[in-house]
Amino acid sequence: MTERDECELKEDDGLLGQYFTSASSQDRFTERVLIRTDPEVGFEWGDDSPAFGIPSDNFAVRWTGTIEAPASGLLEVSTFTDDGVRLWLDEVLLVDNWTNHSGTRDIGVFNFVAGQRYLIRLEYFESGGGATCRLEWRLPGEEDFVVIPQDAYRPDTDIDGDGFPDSC
């Protein structure tokens, strides 16, 4: 039997967040310094650090897991970030703004089927200044984007079938 990593022991809803220091613009995911389950991605860190042991600048985060929409159809999925972001749903790249920028909304569209789970991976980096990363959607009939709630997520998937989540 395979021994489980600490992040594989978590059972909470949310996404698995792996936090890294960044050595350079070519090496954003240099050293992993923290693993935790984040209930949602609605962070406004400003000039602060996301957690003890992580610098307030030059860090990156990779969130992984699955997502389930409450409604079927084409839904707009939005990131609002200050700096870079990439978003994949079911291994399809929906958002690719891997640049230094101030607060920017990027929108992708995905065809969800209610009750079905989809792989999700969100990557974010912070170079300097204020730090913001929000993952939102706009549901049918709604005007505004809202942060995707915790109950839409599961932190990991077991693609290889060994009984343990695979992303750490």
Side-chain angles (χ1 to χ4, degrees):
M1 180 176 212
T2 307
E3 185 173 327
R4 291 184 282 176
D5 292 330
E6 178 182 333
C7 63
E8 293 176 326
L9 298 174
K10 300 185 185 306
E11 301 271 339
D12 301 330
D13 288 349
L15 293 176
L16 183 73
Q18 298 180 70
Y19 290 73
F20 299 80
T21 58
S22 297
S24 70
S25 61
Q26 278 68 46
D27 189 11
R28 296 288 181 196
F29 299 94
T30 306
E31 178 185 358
R32 187 171 63 186
V33 293
L34 174 67
I35 301 169
R36 69 183 184 195
T37 300
D38 288 320
E40 56 190 35
V41 180
F43 296 105
E44 303 279 347
W45 293 298
D47 293 326
D48 294 330
S49 164
F52 180 79
I54 300 171
S56 59
D57 292 323
N58 298 310
F59 69 89
V61 188
R62 179 179 293 125
W63 287 280
T64 56
T66 62
I67 185 170
E68 179 183 342
S72 293
L74 290 173
L75 298 182
E76 290 179 299
V77 181
S78 164
T79 59
F80 187 86
T81 59
D82 175 352
D83 286 310
V85 64
R86 294 186 290 221
L87 171 65
W88 292 262
L89 281 176
D90 248 18
E91 301 184 23
V92 174
L93 184 62
L94 291 186
V95 171
D96 187 8
N97 190 354
W98 203 243
T99 64
N100 291 316
H101 54 263
S102 59
T104 302
R105 181 174 304 280
D106 293 290
I107 300 171
V109 176
F110 191 80
N111 191 19
F112 285 95
V113 174
Q116 184 172 328
R117 301 208 72 76
Y118 299 91
L119 293 174
I120 184 170
R121 183 171 88 217
L122 176 66
E123 293 182 345
Y124 164 79
F125 77 81
E126 165 58 15
S127 282
T132 299
C133 186
R134 293 195 318 257
L135 181 57
E136 304 171 328
W137 59 19
R138 182 168 28 212
L139 298 174
E142 298 295 323
E143 285 187 30
D144 298 322
F145 284 97
V146 295
V147 171
I148 298 172
Q150 178 178 3
D151 63 358
Y153 298 123
R154 297 294 177 276
D156 269 312
T157 58
D158 181 20
I159 294 169
D160 63 9
D162 70 354
F164 304 117
D166 298 323
S167 71
C168 56

